[in-house]
Amino acid sequence: QVQLVESGGGSVQAGGSLRLSCVVSGSTYVKSCMGWFRQAPGKEREWVAGVNLGAGPTFYDGSVKGRFTISHDKAKKTLYLQMNSLKPEDTAKYYCAADGGEWAIFDCSRGDSFYWGQGTQVTVSS
């Protein structure tokens, strides 16, 4: 099993920044990738960004590209999401995900089995 614990959420004004962290622990290793997803009230969960743990390339949804940066510190077993130039439409609960199944899309947007954290709330006011 893999446990994921997110932190770093909060309330900021539009244009502000936050950095989310996701600490990985457990007896099972994460397979190919990790990612960040978000879910706003009344909306479906959506993929935000992903990182391939082997080769290291990063991927972003178009709505956050250029504003968000995903990174992974292997030594600290921590996934980060640096969020700059935040907008009210970024308001959502953000979830960390880790590939634990037989397959996952290269950008970690989909897979047959993900481990999930409990989420951290991000609220951006105008």
Side-chain angles (χ1 to χ4, degrees), residues 68-118:
F68 291 11
T69 303
I70 187 172
S71 60
H72 178 250
D73 187 322
K74 187 176 180 179
K76 294 183 178 180
K77 296 184 179 180
T78 302
L79 182 73
Y80 300 99
L81 185 68
Q82 177 66 44
M83 305 185 295
N84 299 328
S85 302
L86 282 161
K87 303 175 180 180
E89 51 264 42
D90 294 318
T91 295
K93 195 164 188 179
Y94 284 70
Y95 296 90
C96 172
D99 173 29
E102 295 299 317
W103 65 269
I105 301 295
F106 64 91
D107 58 8
C108 229
S109 59
R110 284 194 304 126
D112 67 325
S113 180
F114 280 171
Y115 296 104
W116 294 95
Q118 82 288 350

Side-chain angles (χ1 to χ4, degrees), residues 4-8 19-25 30 33-37 47 49-53 57-58 60 69-82 95-99 108 115:
L4 306 175
V5 179
E6 302 101 331
S7 62
R19 188 174 83 153
L20 306 183
S21 299
C22 172
V23 177
V24 183
S25 64
V30 176
C33 65
M34 293 188 70
W36 287 97
F37 291 72
W47 172 80
V51 58
N52 184 292
L53 300 180
T58 56
Y60 300 92
T69 303
I70 187 172
S71 60
H72 178 250
D73 187 322
K74 187 176 180 179
K76 294 183 178 180
K77 296 184 179 180
T78 302
L79 182 73
Y80 300 99
L81 185 68
Q82 177 66 44
Y95 296 90
C96 172
D99 173 29
C108 229
Y115 296 104

